[in-house]
Amino acid sequence: MSKFAIGLDFGTESVRALLVKVETGAALATAVEPYADGVIDEALPTSDAALPPDWALQNQQDWLDGMQTVVQSVLAESGASRESVVGLGIDFTAATLLPTTIDGTPLCTLPSYENRPHAWAKLWKHHAAQAQADRVNELALARNEPWLARYGGKISSEWLMPKALQLLEEAPDLYLAADRIVEGADWVVWQLTGALTRNACTAGYKANWHKVDGFPSTDFLAALHPDMTDLYTDKLAGPVVPPGHKVGGLTVEWATRLGLVAGTPVAAPIIDAHAAMLGGAVSGPGTMFMIMGTSTCHMLLGETEVLAKGIAGVVEDGMVPGFFGYEAGQAGVGDIFAWFVDNSVPPSYHEEADSRGLSLHNILAEKAALLRPGQSGLLALDWWNGNRSTLVDAELSGLLLGCTLATKVEEIYRALIEATAFGTRVIIEAFTEQGISVGSIVTGGGLTKNPLLMQIYADVTGSEIAVAGAEQVSALGAAMLGAVAAGHSGGGYDSLSDAAAQMTPSPTKVYRPKADHLAPYNALYAEYLRLYDYFGRGENNVMKTLRTLHSEG
Amino acid sequence: MSKFAIGLDFGTESVRALLVKVETGAALATAVEPYADGVIDEALPTSDAALPPDWALQNQQDWLDGMQTVVQSVLAESGASRESVVGLGIDFTAATLLPTTIDGTPLCTLPSYENRPHAWAKLWKHHAAQAQADRVNELALARNEPWLARYGGKISSEWLMPKALQLLEEAPDLYLAADRIVEGADWVVWQLTGALTRNACTAGYKANWHKVDGFPSTDFLAALHPDMTDLYTDKLAGPVVPPGHKVGGLTVEWATRLGLVAGTPVAAPIIDAHAAMLGGAVSGPGTMFMIMGTSTCHMLLGETEVLAKGIAGVVEDGMVPGFFGYEAGQAGVGDIFAWFVDNSVPPSYHEEADSRGLSLHNILAEKAALLRPGQSGLLALDWWNGNRSTLVDAELSGLLLGCTLATKVEEIYRALIEATAFGTRVIIEAFTEQGISVGSIVTGGGLTKNPLLMQIYADVTGSEIAVAGAEQVSALGAAMLGAVAAGHSGGGYDSLSDAAAQMTPSPTKVYRPKADHLAPYNALYAEYLRLYDYFGRGENNVMKTLRTLHSEG
């Protein structure tokens, strides 16, 4: 009898289930269910009161309901028996933080709190804690906190500490009522198994946990806010375990709801981007994985801990047990192309796209592909959404240079793609120069479907770039965690590298650098680097001055 | 009986006549006639052979036919008697150069030459002599030619010397056959009066003539090309006279063709931009006139000759007899906005424009007007068409900085307008710093109809900016030349300042700087200047590197 694992991929708008064969990783069925309340950024489902700007919440009931629907659906579609499912794995957005009572009851489900926005789960892209993040960063820098260097010298407003501080400052009664603050990933696992653990991936990358040093010190918390000293000891109580660790078995209630067998192993979860790396067959050092969508996350495993400058995070056991997981990022990639297509493409291109039944991206990429490197005469800095790695500066902004009266729409489109490729090359070189080897590159995500973009990345980096073979690369990674939680004796695997060796398909495509593109792109990259340093490292702070002028008045 | 003067404005696509009252300058009638052959840039009217790239010719017969039509038309429309017209003035594009025989017969009218492109009039915007211009500039710099400093250190491919050199090199037999090379302006006057003169405006600004030193030396010509030493002595034979000087009276033939009296005074002509300055009532030092269209020309009179850095030309008697006329320019202004509107505005704006019956410029300006200075967070360098003053560098290119995912179309539109205003401020400051006083500003041209743009220029420069009152400001200037050619005794005026005092209307509008806009624009201007110097003066030559990459391969 074949054995199966189920991966659950909890995204921003929906949850997906993927049922795969444990022996081969072959996908038998997949299903997606949108969250009924979607992203809650205008008003709570329970109230008409407008949320403040930059808020983004989710309804945790959507996670549970959606999960039930999609698991039942893949079981039905595949015909797999309940007994043949050996394990369940989860990936999730992060930091997505839910305040609960001591037994895991979400505060927002209590009648007295249901109309309080702070009682709801704050989604990863809740950006209303920037002021708190600034103060965390200032204080950590002033105190020379040892953990700061592991995050490139700065943490994001999306992470645990700023969100928890915002909760405490703006709703102190709710902070008090929240016996626990739990990542969505860990909360779902808690529901499924009855056991509260903290996965090392979100703990490390979003809550500043370190395998040896633990969380930041109580001294630091006290300096940040006198009422916050219980954050790690109480509100984040629970053991930290690596992704793929078996947290427990399915409870009877959830086995029934999902249509599975009670006791089925449930794995400690992982962040969605990092799940993609696993699904992309990267389970050891030397290969960089890039998940390329609205933004790009670069992940890489190492054998030692290097506090690399400009890298967004290093966490032991954060991705694969036994390795140091390095993470870097580009804050805007697909987002920039989307901005361009929405704001800068004249009607004639729309008409051509309509009449040929193609997307604007297709039309622009088709025209841009006819240009040789350098032909546009344009160069951009890809900072429309700031710069994450290596400058860790959200206040930087985009630049386009070289415009003439003959500049065409597709030339700008290509220059924007090239700029993001240059940004990736900066990150690769930062890793390499600091002793973290990048031998090859594997990619996943929506942008891998753009052959022009992929070829430009290969040409700019001078590396072969493989596109991961799995259609649902994150969900496959989650399913691999489920197989590892089962273990070999339970019909799965004893390690992620064993799982990767058996369960991941070959790349769908490998892009190889074109020899005659290397020299012009090296020349352009040299110019990019010069502008990068000039505008990014304080020599000319015009981008910050413009932000100030933008906000004044 | 009222007395009238007629101004003839020879443009790129058409000729206009304006008949005005001499006493008041009031316009009684105007008429426009497009040139039958338009701009000849694809093939000669006599041949199907394609012209090379960057060529632009005109048919001089169109000038004569058009002139006859429009003069007859304004006479008919106004009811002015032929005897009441006291003088005729002309403005013209330049350098627009016609090769002729010794009696003024255009070479292109001779059957043996009619199929030869080089036998035709090269229009100002014929840009195929860039290689020749480069060599003229290199040689003049190497020889430290005294005239070079009067033109900001560089001459344009549009001017006489490069065009004549191209003629000699590419069609030596035609160069030999051309007894005369004549500006369109002077050739039309030659036809009307039988007298060949050279107006000081085109001679000075386009042919490097100087009132004291004359033309560049024969030594220089010999070094440039051994067969070119006769350029000024023979091919440019004829006295140089200031605009408004009476060249002669209408011949009987032309009096008949136009419907005027033989002997009617005809003035020495002027370049079209400079005519606008006269029509804008600027006839003495202290007031800068800007004619603002696809590009902007800045004109200013001074009492002494200053070899100002970055200024495109200084010519004694070039605009108004007795003064040194200074000219600077911005190579792209309206052109940049047109590029933007054509290439970067998405369909929703087009739909709004259509549904409200407004132009895209109207829609964009309306939205951009709601922004306060600095609010866009954007800053641009207005070099889409290179930089004329003060850098005199056609290889510079446009830059846009400060883009975010929230950047809106109208914000970019406003940033582009602001950048051109900053470019004007650089020119004003260059004049002022070098001792050429700019007390006030008067403007003419199509862009003066954009109130947002005009207000931004006032705010950025901190100056009041008046919009010249005349509808047809160049043609009025030409008519003023006609009135001055007539002289007081002939029913006109003895000087251009007398004519300006009587014949020019009050400004239609005066834009005054808004007090609360000065500080933010000063802050933005400081950033603009820093980028201007960084990219424009050799510290970072990325724009040139990009041009090289653009041209290679």
Side-chain angles (χ1 to χ4, degrees), chain A residues 335-336 339 342-347 350 372-379 383-385 397-409 412 520 523-524 527 530-531 534-535 539-543 545-547 549-553, chain B residues 335-336 339 342-347 350 372-379 383-385 397-409 412 520 523-524 527 530-531 534-535 539-543 545-547 549-553:
Chain A
D335 264 358
I336 301 176
W339 171 88
D342 288 346
N343 290 282
S344 299
V345 179
H350 289 257
R372 59 179 166 69
Q375 190 179 345
S376 70
L378 298 171
L379 182 61
W383 299 344
W384 264 248
N385 200 23
S397 53
L399 174 150
L400 179 67
L401 183 151
C403 303
T404 73
L405 297 173
T407 296
K408 292 201 176 72
V409 181
I412 302 177
L524 281 170
E527 300 297 337
R530 191 162 173 204
L531 295 173
Y534 179 71
F535 288 110
E539 198 179 341
N540 187 333
N541 276 325
V542 56
M543 291 170 182
T545 306
L546 291 175
R547 292 236 179 217
L549 288 167
H550 166 71
S551 311
E552 282 173 355
Chain B
D335 263 357
I336 301 177
W339 172 86
D342 288 346
N343 289 282
S344 299
V345 179
H350 289 259
R372 58 177 168 69
Q375 190 180 344
S376 71
L378 298 171
L379 183 61
W383 299 345
W384 264 247
N385 200 24
S397 53
L399 175 149
L400 179 66
L401 183 151
C403 302
T404 74
L405 297 174
T407 296
K408 294 201 176 73
V409 181
I412 302 176
L524 280 170
E527 299 296 337
R530 192 160 171 207
L531 295 174
Y534 179 71
F535 289 109
E539 199 179 341
N540 187 333
N541 277 326
V542 56
M543 291 169 181
T545 306
L546 290 175
R547 291 235 178 220
L549 287 168
H550 166 71
S551 312
E552 282 173 356

Side-chain angles (χ1 to χ4, degrees), chain A residues 244-513:
Chain A
H245 175 89
K246 179 182 167 183
V247 172
L250 272 184
T251 62
V252 172
E253 180 201 342
W254 272 101
T256 309
R257 286 181 65 173
L258 299 180
L260 293 171
V261 175
T264 302
V266 177
I270 196 167
I271 301 174
D272 47 3
H274 304 68
M277 183 187 79
L278 302 178
V282 177
S283 61
T287 300
M288 189 169 90
F289 186 81
M290 305 199 294
I291 181 87
M292 304 169 70
T294 53
S295 61
T296 290
C297 183
H298 312 71
M299 289 159 282
L300 187 59
L301 298 169
E303 316 238 14
T304 56
E305 184 176 78
V306 177
L307 300 182
K309 278 186 200 146
I311 300 307
V314 51
V315 176
E316 187 175 359
D317 290 356
M319 302 179 192
V320 173
F323 294 108
F324 292 87
Y326 292 90
E327 187 190 276
Q330 289 176 266
V333 182
D335 264 358
I336 301 176
F337 315 142
W339 171 88
F340 182 74
V341 161
D342 288 346
N343 290 282
S344 299
V345 179
S348 60
Y349 289 73
H350 289 257
E351 286 155 18
E352 182 176 349
D354 287 349
S355 75
R356 294 175 56 196
L358 296 171
S359 75
L360 275 174
H361 285 286
N362 290 147
I363 293 287
L364 290 167
E366 178 184 289
K367 294 180 193 296
L370 302 176
L371 302 165
R372 59 179 166 69
Q375 190 179 345
S376 70
L378 298 171
L379 182 61
L381 286 176
D382 50 319
W383 299 344
W384 264 248
N385 200 23
N387 176 291
R388 194 166 299 154
S389 307
T390 61
L391 302 170
V392 200
D393 193 338
E395 292 193 319
L396 297 174
S397 53
L399 174 150
L400 179 67
L401 183 151
C403 303
T404 73
L405 297 173
T407 296
K408 292 201 176 72
V409 181
E410 56 269 27
E411 292 176 332
I412 302 177
Y413 185 74
R414 181 169 179 129
L416 295 176
I417 292 175
E418 290 170 343
T420 66
F422 295 142
T424 283
R425 180 165 166 181
V426 168
I427 289 168
I428 292 172
E429 293 189 351
F431 274 123
T432 307
E433 283 162 13
Q434 298 181 79
I436 309 159
S437 152
V438 180
S440 57
I441 300 174
V442 181
T443 58
L447 294 184
T448 61
K449 290 175 187 145
N450 183 330
L452 169 70
L453 179 144
M454 295 304 293
Q455 184 62 51
I456 288 172
Y457 272 62
D459 293 343
V460 164
T461 60
S463 302
E464 290 191 0
I465 301 189
V467 179
E471 182 111 3
Q472 299 300 337
V473 74
S474 287
L476 174 59
M480 290 163 65
L481 294 179
V484 169
H488 182 68
S489 60
Y493 299 99
D494 283 340
S495 72
L496 279 166
S497 59
D498 288 353
Q502 300 301 323
M503 295 179 72
T504 55
S506 298
T508 49
K509 173 137 194 186
V510 177
Y511 290 88
R512 296 187 172 80

